[in-house]
Amino acid sequence: LATYPYLVDHGERFHPPPAGNGMQGGISGRAMSTRQTLVFQSAQEIRAFQRRHDIASKVLGGTIEDHSFLYVPLVAANQVIGLVCVGKQAQSAFGTDDVRLVETVTSSLSVALQNVQSFEAERQRAAELAIISAVQQALAGELNIQGVYDAVGDKLGEVFKSGIVGIRIHDPETDLLHYVYQSLDGAERLHIPPGTPAGMGAHVLRTGQTLLINERMDEASKTYASSSLAPHLARQPKAQLMVPLRVGEQVRGMLTLSDLEREHVYTDADVRLLQTLAASMSVALENARLFDETQRLLKETEARNTELAVINSIQQAVGAALDFQAIVDTVGDKLRESLLNDVGIFWKHPDGDRIDLLYAYEHGVRLPVKVLRLRPQWPWVGPVLRGETVVAGTTARQLELGLTAIEGTDQSRSIVVVPMFAAGQYLGHLTSDDHEHEHAFQEGDVRMLETVASSMAVALLNAKSFEAERQRAAELAIINAIQLGISGSLHFQGIVEMVGDKLREVLRTGDLGISWHDPQTELLHPLYAYEHGQRLSLAPWLPQAGHPKHEVLRTRRHRVFGTVAEQVSAGVAAVAGTDQELSLVYMPIVGSDRALGVLQVANHEREHAFGESEIRLLQTVAASMGVALENARLFDETQRLLKETEARNAELAVINSIQQAVGAALDFQGIVDAVGDKLREVFDTGNLSIRWWEEAAGTVHNMYACEHGVRLPYWASVPQAGTVAYR
C-alpha cells in the first residue's frame, strides 16, 4: 500500500486513503521501482511517458491539471521508503537547481524518517511489552475467570481508548458465544446476550486465524454474513481486529477491537500486541478454568454433603418418631439453615382443591398454619402436579406463572417450587424464596431440594399411615372406654364426663362441648363445656329454626365450618363470654330414632383444622355415645319407676295396716289410736296428732297426740277466730 502522510494541491490539504500497488502502478511507482528522479516539463511529456510504460493517468489532488512534475524517491539504507512529488501548473517550471534542491532535501528526509521509524518502532515495542507485562501481572494474581476477562479488557481499554474492546468465549456444549467483556471508548460497559456463533466470529472459531478488516467493512460484513454487535449505537465499525484465544488445539474464544470512526486504524503492531496478549491470556484462562472446575467440584461436594445432612436429619426424625408435624418442622429448619432462605412446606388437603401450609418462614419469622386454595388455572400448578420443578428467577416471571405472594407476605425476587411425589401421587410441595436476589437458586440448590422432597414425601406418607393407624387405635380406645363405662356404670352424667375427657385427650384440644336435647322444651342443655382448657358453666338455650345446631338435630347430619366467614354466613356466633372459633364441628348424638344431643369440637388456632380422620372419629364416638346415653337414660327411667312403685307399695301397706286395725275393733278411740301408731311407725316419727272436729259444738278434740315419742293427754278446745284450726 502507498500512504499519503502529506498531500497539498494548490494550497488545499488532502487526506486520501492508502492505495494499492504503490510500487507497481503509476509514475510514482516507476520512480520508486527504478530509484531514479523523474522530471516532466509538460503534460505532453507525461502522457507520452505513460503510453510508453503503459501507465494509467491518475489525478491525486483537485481538478486543476498541472503541467510540470518532479518525482524524487526516498531511499534509506538502500531501501526505497517513499517518494517526494512536486507539481506546478506552468510548463518547464523546474530547472537543474530545482531538481538538485529537491534531491538534497529528499536525501536528508530519508535519513530523518528512517531514524524516526526506528525510534517509533522501539517505542511501540516498549509500549507492547509494558502492556503485556501489566496484563500478565494481573493474570498471575487472578484465579477468578471473570477477573481474568476484566483485567485484560480494562488494560486494552486503556491502550485503545476509542471504539469497542471485547472478549468472547465459546461454550462448546451449548454452542453459544458469550460476550464476557465489552466496553465502549474505554468506559461504558456493554451487555450483549449470548448467541450462536455467526459471521466473522464463527470464521475465527472455525479457522483459528486472526482476522483484520481495515476498510470496506460493509463488503466484509456481507462476505462473512456478519451483523453489528451494538445495534443500539446505530453505527457499524469501520475497522475490526479479531484474534483467537487458543487452549491447545481448541479455539476457546477471541479478543476483538472495533473502531467506529476510522478505517486503517489497526497496524501490524496492534495485531502483534493482541496475539501476544491472547497467548498469555489463554494460559491464564486455562488455569482459571481448572481453578473454577476445582471450586465447582468442591461446591458440588459441599452441596452433596448438605443434601446428605438434610436427608440424614429427615431419617433421624423418622427413626426417632413418626409424628407428622415433627418431621415437617425438622426438615423445614434444616433447609432454612442450609439455604439461608425462607422455606415453605405444603401438604395436599384431603378435599383435593386445597393445600395445607404446614411450615412457613418469612424474614426469619414463623407464619401461622393456613389452608389455601390450589387453583389449576395458575400456570405453575400444572407442572408441579405432573412432578416438575418450577424455578422463577425474577418477580416478573413469578407473576407470569401465578406465583403471587400469600396474603400478609411479601413478593420474593426468586423462588423455586419442588413437588413431593410418592407412589406416583402428588402429596405436596416445598418452596424456597429469596427476597434480595434474582436468579438466586443454582443447579445445586434445586438438586438438593429435589432430593429432600423425594425423601420427605416417603417419610411423611409413612407418618400419615402411622397417624392413621394411631388415629384408628384412638377411636377404638375411646369406643372401648365408652363400652367399659357402660358396663361399669349406667350413670348418665358419668358417661358424658368420661367421653368428653377422653376426646379432649385424644384430639389434643381444650375446646369441646356436649349438649343434651330435651324434646319437650326443645332446649339444649350444655352438660359438658370446655374452652381454652377451662370448664364453663352455660345455661340451656333454644336453637332457633335455621340455626346450624337446629338443623343438625333435625337432619341428624354433622356440619363442619373451616373458617370464621363460613360460621358467620351460617349464623353461628360465639356464646356470650366465649371466643369465636376458627374451625368448628357440630356432630349429632343419635339414639333410637332421634338426635339426643350435639357433640361440638372447636379450634381457636387454625382454620380447616378438622380432616376426614377427625370427622370419622367423632362420628364413631357420637354413635357409640348415643347408644350408651340412651341406655343410661332408660336405666334412669327404670330406676325412677322402681322408686315410684316402692313408694306406692308403701302407701298400700299403710292403708292395709289401717284397714286391718279398723277391722279388728269398732271402738272410736281404738281406731284413732291404731291409725296414729301405724302412721308414726311408717313415717318413723315421734311427733304426730289426730284431731276431731265437732262442728255442732265448734270444738276441736285432740284424740291422739305424741311429741318426741311421748303420748300427750286428751284435750278439747274452741279455736279462736283467725287461727288455723278455725279456718
Side-chain angles (χ1 to χ4, degrees):
L1 289 176
T3 60
Y4 301 89
Y6 186 88
L7 178 62
V8 175
D9 185 31
H10 296 89
E12 183 180 355
R13 184 77 178 263
F14 288 88
H15 300 278
N21 300 320
M23 290 287 287
Q24 289 80 29
I27 299 174
S28 298
R30 182 72 180 177
M32 287 190 290
S33 63
T34 61
R35 301 188 183 185
Q36 294 179 353
T37 299
L38 297 178
V39 180
F40 301 96
Q41 300 291 5
S42 68
Q44 291 81 1
E45 290 182 15
I46 295 174
R47 283 192 285 273
F49 185 87
Q50 289 173 332
R51 285 194 299 271
R52 188 166 60 250
H53 296 284
D54 193 23
I55 298 172
S57 176
K58 184 177 182 182
V59 179
L60 293 179
T63 58
I64 301 175
E65 184 179 7
D66 291 327
H67 291 84
S68 300
F69 281 94
L70 177 61
Y71 293 86
V72 182
L74 287 167
V75 181
N78 202 30
Q79 182 180 2
V80 177
I81 62 174
L83 181 83
V84 172
C85 177
V86 181
K88 285 194 174 184
Q89 192 172 1
Q91 296 186 359
S92 304
F94 298 110
T96 304
D97 293 338
D98 298 326
V99 174
R100 187 170 56 250
L101 172 62
V102 173
E103 287 178 334
T104 302
V105 172
T106 300
S107 177
S108 300
L109 179 61
S110 297
V111 175
L113 288 176
Q114 186 179 35
N115 291 337
V116 169
Q117 281 186 329
S118 298
F119 176 74
E120 285 194 350
E122 288 301 319
R123 186 172 59 182
Q124 182 70 23
R125 184 61 182 160
E128 291 177 17
L129 292 174
I131 294 170
I132 293 168
S133 176
V135 170
Q136 287 179 337
Q137 286 181 4
L139 297 180
E142 184 60 69
L143 278 176
N144 176 272
I145 198 162
Q146 186 61 45
V148 174
Y149 302 144
D150 292 341
V152 175
D154 290 346
K155 184 57 68 175
L156 285 174
E158 292 177 14
V159 177
F160 300 94
K161 291 183 170 57
S162 64
I164 300 174
V165 173
I167 302 174
R168 310 179 196 178
I169 299 297
H170 180 240
D171 184 348
E173 293 186 3
T174 61
D175 193 29
L176 289 177
L177 196 61
H178 296 266
Y179 299 84
V180 296
Y181 184 98
Q182 299 288 319
S183 69
L184 175 63
D185 298 333
E188 181 186 353
R189 289 291 286 266
L190 305 177
H191 299 282
I192 302 174
T196 303
M200 299 177 188
H203 172 79
V204 173
L205 288 175
R206 184 176 62 257
T207 64
Q209 297 176 354
T210 295
L211 181 62
L212 174 62
I213 308 295
N214 246 341
E215 65 177 357
R216 295 191 289 274
M217 181 60 73
D218 291 340
E219 295 179 12
S221 295
K222 292 178 182 177
T223 301
Y224 293 102
S226 291
S227 58
S228 175
L229 289 180
H232 60 282
L233 296 175
R235 290 185 292 173
Q236 178 80 350
K238 297 293 184 65
Q240 187 156 288
L241 173 59
M242 308 177 82
V243 177
L245 290 168
R246 288 180 173 274
V247 177
E249 296 300 320
Q250 186 180 13
V251 179
R252 298 291 299 276
M254 63 200 73
L255 300 179
T256 66
L257 297 176
S258 303
D259 196 291
L260 304 176
E261 305 292 342
R262 300 170 295 165
E263 292 185 334
H264 300 283
V265 68
Y266 300 118
T267 65
D268 291 342
D270 299 328
V271 174
R272 188 170 60 249
L273 172 62
L274 242 64
Q275 288 174 333
T276 305
L277 284 179
S280 299
M281 185 178 177
S282 295
V283 175
L285 283 175
E286 182 63 8
N287 291 339
R289 187 189 68 79
L290 293 173
F291 178 76
D292 276 2
E293 181 69 11
T294 303
Q295 292 297 101
R296 183 185 65 79
L297 292 174
L298 285 173
K299 288 181 179 179
E300 285 185 2
T301 301
E302 291 175 358
R304 186 58 184 160
N305 289 338
T306 302
E307 292 175 23
L308 293 173
V310 174
I311 295 168
N312 187 49
S313 298
I314 294 173
Q315 292 177 342
Q316 286 180 353
V318 173
L322 279 172
D323 180 73
F324 185 86
Q325 190 62 43
I327 295 175
V328 170
D329 292 341
T330 299
V331 175
D333 292 344
K334 192 65 180 179
L335 282 176
R336 286 199 309 116
E337 176 187 336
S338 302
L339 295 173
L340 301 178
N341 282 316
D342 295 331
V343 171
I345 300 177
F346 300 78
W347 189 258
K348 184 181 177 183
H349 202 74
D351 64 8
D353 66 341
R354 289 183 293 181
I355 194 86
D356 294 323
L357 178 57
L358 303 177
Y359 180 99
Y361 269 83
E362 184 179 72
H363 308 309
V365 178
R366 181 79 181 253
L367 303 180
V369 173
K370 291 186 176 182
V371 177
L372 307 170
R373 290 287 177 188
L374 190 62
R375 304 187 187 278
Q377 65 268 29
W378 291 334
W380 69 270
V381 173
V384 170
L385 293 181
R386 293 193 300 269
E388 301 171 13
T389 296
V390 174
V391 181
T394 64
T395 300
R397 181 57 179 156
Q398 294 179 54
L399 297 179
E400 287 177 11
L401 293 172
L403 285 163
T404 54
I406 298 172
E407 183 179 357
T409 66
D410 300 332
Q411 189 74 43
S412 61
R413 303 189 71 181
S414 301
I415 189 172
V416 57
V417 184
V418 181
M420 289 188 287
F421 261 71
Q425 180 185 6
Y426 167 79
L427 302 177
H429 57 266
L430 304 177
T431 64
S432 186
D433 299 78
D434 193 299
H435 288 83
E436 298 180 2
H437 309 97
E438 293 186 340
H439 305 288
F441 298 100
Q442 306 303 314
E443 182 180 344
D445 301 325
V446 175
R447 186 177 60 249
M448 183 187 73
L449 283 169
E450 288 175 338
T451 304
V452 170
S454 178
S455 299
M456 186 180 183
V458 176
L460 291 179
L461 193 61
N462 290 338
K464 270 294 183 185
S465 298
F466 176 78
E467 284 198 348
E469 290 300 320
R470 185 171 61 182
Q471 186 73 20
R472 184 58 185 160
E475 294 176 18
L476 294 174
I478 295 174
I479 295 167
N480 185 51
I482 292 173
Q483 299 295 341
L484 287 174
I486 294 172
S487 62
S489 172
L490 283 172
H491 183 250
F492 187 90
Q493 186 63 33
I495 295 175
V496 170
E497 297 289 335
M498 177 189 60
V499 173
D501 291 345
K502 193 66 178 178
L503 276 177
R504 287 199 304 117
E505 174 190 343
V506 173
L507 295 177
R508 299 177 184 176
T509 181
D511 307 289
L512 190 140
I514 301 174
S515 301
W516 190 256
H517 180 239
D518 184 345
Q520 302 298 322
T521 63
E522 294 295 331
L523 291 174
L524 268 175
H525 296 266
L527 305 179
Y528 184 99
Y530 272 84
E531 183 181 71
H532 306 309
Q534 299 296 318
R535 186 71 181 253
L536 304 179
S537 178
L538 303 176
W541 69 288
L542 178 66
Q544 300 297 320
H547 188 278
K549 275 193 177 179
H550 183 275
E551 293 303 302
V552 166
L553 291 169
R554 184 180 65 83
T555 64
R556 289 179 281 178
R557 294 180 180 176
H558 68 274
R559 290 289 301 273
V560 181
F561 303 96
T563 65
V564 174
E566 291 177 10
Q567 297 175 54
V568 173
S569 177
V572 177
V575 177
T578 66
D579 300 331
Q580 187 75 46
E581 303 89 347
L582 296 183
S583 302
L584 181 63
V585 176
Y586 290 153
M587 184 64 64
I589 303 171
V590 179
S592 299
D593 60 346
R594 70 181 185 90
L596 305 176
V598 178
L599 174 60
Q600 173 180 326
V601 185
N603 191 300
H604 289 84
E605 298 178 359
R606 60 191 179 102
E607 296 180 338
H608 301 286
F610 303 106
E612 289 182 355
S613 59
E614 289 84 5
I615 299 302
R616 187 176 61 250
L617 170 63
L618 292 174
Q619 286 174 324
T620 305
V621 170
S624 299
M625 188 179 181
V627 174
L629 291 178
E630 182 68 359
N631 289 341
R633 186 187 67 80
L634 293 174
F635 178 76
D636 282 355
E637 182 69 13
T638 302
Q639 292 297 100
R640 184 183 64 79
L641 292 175
L642 285 173
K643 288 181 179 179
E644 289 182 0
T645 301
E646 290 176 357
R648 183 61 180 163
N649 289 338
E651 293 177 18
L652 293 174
V654 172
I655 295 170
N656 187 48
S657 298
I658 293 173
Q659 288 178 343
Q660 286 180 357
V662 172
L666 290 175
D667 177 68
F668 186 89
Q669 186 61 45
I671 293 173
V672 170
D673 291 342
V675 172
D677 292 341
K678 195 62 180 179
L679 284 175
R680 284 202 305 125
E681 176 187 342
V682 170
F683 289 104
D684 189 24
T685 180
N687 304 292
L688 188 141
S689 67
I690 299 174
R691 302 177 187 182
W692 188 260
W693 169 248
E694 186 181 354
E695 186 174 2
T699 304
V700 175
H701 300 270
N702 194 16
M703 306 295 297
Y704 183 98
C706 273
E707 184 177 70
H708 305 307
V710 178
R711 182 71 179 263
L712 302 179
Y714 163 84
W715 55 266
S717 65
V718 177
Q720 300 296 317
T723 64
V724 174
Y726 184 82
R727 289 197 301 273

